[in-house]
Amino acid sequence: MSSTDCEKPPIDVIVASDKLAEPEPYIIFDRTQKRLITFVVTIVASSSTLASNIYFPAIPTIAEDLNVSVQLVNLTVTAYFIFQGLAPSLWGPISDAKGRRTAYVGTLIVLLGACIGLAQTKNYTMLIILRCLQSTGSASTNAIGSGVIGDITMRADRGGYMGFFQGVMLISIAIGPIIGGVLAGSLGWRSIFWFLTVYNGVLLMMVVFLVPETLRSIIGNGSRTPSQRIARFPLTLYQRHTTVKWDADKAPQQDPAPKRVDVLAPLRILTSKMATAIIIFFAIYFTVWQMCITAMSTLFTARYGITEIQTGLTFIANGAGSMVGTLITGKIMDRDYRRVHEKFENDERLESDGRIFPLERARLGPVPIYASVQCLSILLFGWTVQYPDQVHIAVPIVATFFTGWSTVSTQSNVTTYLVDIFHDRSAATTASINLARCCLAAAGSSAILPMVHGVGAGGAFTICVAVQLVAMVGLGVQWKCGGVWRSVKESAMS
């Protein structure tokens, strides 16, 4: 990137406030309905991260039962991440064009079929193929859920909803191994996939009965009846008895036209200069977290001699940290947005110096703190787990608490920031984040154990932190140049 790439443009292309970039999105759903919708789509989104991590404690048992090496079973984790990154690039644009409910039903049916097949797996070939299919079905629930929240919220309240969504979704990364350890240790590893079958069947019913269509090109402000039968929401009786009046006359004068499915939209967002730096920054931090989680069960089992169930319980701290991040990050984001917005609105020099609303400051302000905490916790984990005879297992477990908290908080801030920028393609935006983080996580999860064997746990995770520190450059670039890039784009579109 040249030094002139983010120089301040002429004042006539600066937007004094970026309110015009996102029209006031009047929606017929009241606060109770928004909370219900957010809760359901959050639980549905957890299916992806839950399925990716729930069988970590059972990997040695699966390898023994299928008569293959642990390394081969670990490859199914890599394959899962690859498809987890690629699948939303299809389902995300479908949900942005054809509707959220249509995409939800399609993905969950694929997921259900894969879970049933995995529960009856007879050989390694079936295992890896069905894990890829399982990832294809589950991975897009995150992108679709982000799209739903983008549909029903404004910037002023989006942080709280998105913080809850991203945080609870990532908690399943931490609690998945706990559930998997208990199931594998008591009922056998196949019970993990029967559990997922029942779980995802319930999620499908929740989507069908509790989640309305929210895509504005289909339902307008919520009062329009969708023409597609699959998009019709059955529980309209509940909505008719809320405090919101169902007045179709309040629908926008010009609703957006239906879109075509654009499967390249996530890739274009990923390679857009307004998003590339911050996405790569977060993808690296997410990858290091996933590398830590992937290595935990193997390192704790080998170095501390604990059982499958005990291994699952070691993930509780990570889950608790993720939960703390969930509870506080959304509130912090909404508070920061209100504070920055109020200061901006009261600044009388706006028109004279041509400044734009500092969205980067409103959304990304705490991210350097979260990133620093994650780096320190990863170092603590790596160097303490390397010396099991000298350091109690509680120390690396506590370190994972801070890793989970900081990663969840970072993802919430970054995702909300990007949905604010690409509010008309929110599902595709989240798909672009998935594409980057999952592909990097696939490489990282397959590389971490060879790194540990080569240079030790302390050395391996020190290398990871060094890469994270370099990735901080991306955050700095976004902070410095993001506002100018947005202003130029908005001026060109006006």
Side-chain angles (χ1 to χ4, degrees), residues 200-372:
N200 291 302
V202 172
L203 295 184
L204 178 58
M205 293 299 99
M206 291 175 68
V207 166
V208 169
F209 289 104
L210 297 177
V211 179
E213 181 57 63
T214 61
L215 188 64
R216 288 183 172 272
S217 61
I218 294 177
I219 56 99
N221 68 344
S223 61
R224 180 189 302 163
T225 301
S227 57
Q228 304 100 317
R229 187 175 299 273
I230 194 173
R232 295 178 184 174
F233 179 46
L235 295 185
T236 55
L237 181 63
Y238 162 73
Q239 293 179 310
R240 301 287 178 177
H241 288 81
T242 61
T243 56
V244 176
K245 292 183 178 180
W246 279 61
D247 187 356
D249 293 336
K250 288 188 177 182
Q253 294 295 319
Q254 292 183 344
D255 291 321
K259 304 174 184 177
R260 294 181 298 175
V261 177
D262 183 4
V263 296
L264 296 180
L267 185 60
R268 279 199 293 271
I269 292 173
L270 178 60
T271 56
S272 164
K273 66 181 180 181
M274 291 193 300
T276 300
I278 194 67
I279 290 178
I280 292 177
F281 159 77
F282 171 69
I284 290 174
Y285 276 73
F286 177 88
T287 296
V288 173
W289 182 40
Q290 194 62 52
M291 292 168 74
C292 177
I293 293 176
T294 302
M296 275 179 65
S297 56
T298 302
L299 291 176
F300 284 158
T301 301
R303 303 192 179 198
Y304 290 95
I306 58 179
T307 65
E308 286 178 334
I309 295 178
Q310 290 172 328
T311 299
L313 294 177
T314 62
F315 287 83
I316 291 177
N318 203 341
S322 301
M323 188 171 296
V324 169
T326 299
L327 294 175
I328 67 174
T329 303
K331 295 179 180 179
I332 292 175
M333 280 195 290
D334 284 344
R335 184 202 65 188
D336 286 349
Y337 185 89
R338 287 192 296 268
R339 176 177 54 80
V340 174
H341 188 271
E342 182 179 355
K343 182 178 180 181
F344 179 82
E345 289 292 301
N346 293 332
D347 193 335
E348 297 178 354
R349 297 173 298 171
L350 289 176
E351 294 185 2
S352 62
D353 65 8
R355 287 187 294 151
I356 64 170
F357 178 73
L359 185 62
E360 289 70 27
R361 187 182 306 166
R363 293 302 192 204
L364 303 179
V367 172
I369 298 175
Y370 302 145
S372 300

Side-chain angles (χ1 to χ4, degrees), residues 17-19 21-22 155-156 158 274 333 336-337 340-341 344 356-366 413-423 478-479 482-484 486 490:
S17 171
D18 65 354
K19 283 183 176 180
E22 182 175 11
R155 282 184 178 176
R158 184 172 294 147
M274 291 193 300
M333 280 195 290
D336 286 349
Y337 185 89
V340 174
H341 188 271
F344 179 82
I356 64 170
F357 178 73
L359 185 62
E360 289 70 27
R361 187 182 306 166
R363 293 302 192 204
L364 303 179
N413 282 75
V414 171
T415 303
T416 305
Y417 168 74
L418 290 172
V419 170
D420 284 346
I421 294 176
F422 302 99
H423 54 86
Q478 197 73 37
W479 185 278
V484 175
R486 284 187 290 110
E490 290 164 11

Side-chain angles (χ1 to χ4, degrees), residues 106-180:
T107 57
L108 289 174
I109 288 176
V110 172
L111 176 57
L112 269 175
C115 289
I116 293 172
L118 283 164
Q120 304 178 68
T121 298
K122 303 298 182 183
N123 54 61
Y124 177 75
T125 302
M126 286 183 63
L127 178 69
I128 195 166
I129 291 174
L130 289 172
R131 280 288 283 177
C132 293
L133 185 63
Q134 183 188 40
S135 180
T136 301
S138 67
S140 303
T141 54
N142 178 20
I144 301 169
S146 294
V148 170
I149 294 175
D151 294 336
I152 65 175
T153 59
M154 298 168 54
R155 282 184 178 176
D157 66 350
R158 184 172 294 147
Y161 289 102
M162 193 66 76
F164 177 83
F165 174 78
Q166 295 293 336
V168 173
M169 180 194 70
L170 291 183
I171 286 175
S172 58
I173 291 182
I175 67 172
I178 301 173
I179 299 172

